[in-house]
Amino acid sequence: MAHISASVYTSHVPAIGAAIDLGKTGEPYWKPVFQGYEFSRLWLREHTPDAIVLVFNDHATAFSLDMIPTFAIGTAALYHPADEGWGPRPVPVVMGHPELAAHIAQSVIQQDFDLTIVNKMDVDHGLTVPLSLLCGQPLAWPCPVIPLAVNVVQYPAPSGRRCFELGRAIARALAQYDEPLNVQIWGTGGMSHQLQGPRAGLINREFDNAFLDRLIADPAGLAQLPHIDYVREAGSEGIEMVMWLIARGAMADAAGGARPRVAHRFYHVPASNTAVGHLILEQGSV
Ligand code: DHB
Ligand code: FE
């Protein structure tokens, strides 16, 4: 069986990607952001998994108002970095894991989750910025990545509760895989931010830190939080944080197993318009 060894949570602010690509990580504005990921880059080098299930949202890049899958799993062998208006980011192509992705699709759909199967997709900053934050600027990403895209751009978005349940279903799928793979699951997006309207620029440190506390200690309770609370407290784009609950639901304690260990926690304001949050949870014995 495959198993989840750790979950990683991080914001995906596009300006962070630009800072890396343009060599600005040492500038005073950016330095404190990247310092928060120094531990994580070393950690990932020491804990490189066989595959990463990377939960992210597409920002009207691969999908548009023409077609809006709520949950979409990438089953392709590779994914190109998307052109979001400034040319594709100068980062490696993302190698997929078609066998494991197809298995997860099979198992999770049979567990009554409606996943859209995506065989061709360019991946935007939602997926590539988290990889850059934890891997730096390698010639190739350290392992295959299975993109799991969640619609949090166009209402209706899935509830936190359903995201948490999807994570649990993914963990069950991995337990039935016939290779002993070490898999990480990453939840990305957030934390509080609003990019539009009269409240543009909204940041809520108190809400974000309480969210991190509960994500660690009471994820099932946190999963009950309704949409309106995310939007009111964390801004219209703060709804991206429901994706963190997919990663959290895949940890062993969500199925009655051992609680994960906090390996790293970081929070910083601001990066562009966004509060940056980051967490690494390691699974001990299951
Ligand atoms: C910003 C943050 C995002 O999550 C995003 O998708 C786009 C922009 C920002 O802070 O500028
Ligand atoms: Fe975003």
Side-chain angles (χ1 to χ4, degrees):
M1 64 187 259
H3 74 283
I4 292 182
S5 55
S7 53
V8 174
Y9 309 81
T10 180
S11 307
H12 64 212
V13 186
I16 290 177
I20 295 170
D21 301 342
L22 299 172
K24 295 184 171 181
T25 57
E27 292 188 356
Y29 179 87
W30 288 112
K31 213 172 170 175
V33 176
F34 291 102
Q35 273 173 347
Y37 288 82
E38 274 170 18
F39 169 90
S40 316
R41 282 191 292 279
L42 294 172
W43 176 88
L44 187 62
R45 237 179 278 162
E46 283 168 16
H47 298 84
T48 306
D50 297 314
I52 295 169
V53 175
L54 203 156
V55 183
F56 77 112
N57 68 293
D58 176 80
H59 299 74
T61 306
F63 306 125
S64 70
L65 291 181
D66 288 350
M67 211 181 289
I68 307 171
T70 301
F71 298 117
I73 187 165
T75 45
L78 67 85
Y79 307 88
H80 290 282
D83 183 349
E84 297 179 63
W86 299 270
R89 290 191 61 214
V91 295
V93 295
V94 176
M95 306 307 291
H97 198 309
E99 297 81 14
L100 181 59
H103 169 80
I104 293 172
Q106 151 80 19
S107 170
V108 167
I109 290 170
Q110 290 297 317
Q111 293 180 62
D112 302 338
F113 271 93
D114 308 317
L115 297 188
T116 299
I117 293 167
V118 181
N119 289 314
K120 190 171 190 301
M121 168 168 65
D122 289 347
V123 286
D124 76 7
H125 67 271
L127 185 133
T128 62
V129 167
L131 285 173
S132 296
L133 275 168
L134 274 100
C135 306
Q137 294 177 292
L139 291 174
W141 301 121
C143 67
V145 173
I146 297 173
L148 183 68
V150 180
N151 168 42
V152 288
V153 167
Q154 176 66 38
Y155 272 83
S159 67
R161 186 174 57 247
R162 188 148 174 81
C163 287
F164 190 69
E165 289 301 324
L166 176 56
R168 297 180 66 204
I170 290 170
R172 288 192 290 268
L174 292 175
Q176 291 163 3
Y177 195 59
D178 59 9
E179 253 187 274
L181 297 185
N182 170 347
V183 178
Q184 286 177 12
I185 185 162
W186 292 15
T188 70
M191 295 189 87
S192 57
H193 64 305
Q194 172 145 346
L195 303 176
Q196 55 199 314
R199 296 202 309 162
L202 178 145
I203 300 280
N204 187 342
R205 292 169 194 259
E206 216 173 281
F207 177 87
D208 288 341
N209 281 290
F211 186 92
L212 290 170
D213 290 343
R214 283 190 85 187
L215 191 73
I216 295 164
D218 176 28
L222 181 61
Q224 303 305 318
L225 198 71
H227 276 138
I228 191 67
D229 288 30
Y230 287 89
V231 175
R232 188 193 303 113
E233 300 295 330
S236 52
E237 277 66 48
I239 189 65
E240 288 182 346
M241 288 152 77
V242 291
M243 296 186 290
W244 294 29
L245 287 163
I246 297 177
R248 188 63 182 89
M251 301 302 281
D253 61 339
R259 290 172 68 105
R261 187 181 80 83
V262 180
H264 185 54
R265 175 173 173 165
F266 174 65
Y267 184 76
H268 176 80
V269 174
S272 187
N273 304 292
T274 300
V276 169
H278 175 41
L279 195 61
I280 298 176
L281 298 183
E282 276 178 8
Q283 193 66 61
S285 53
V286 180

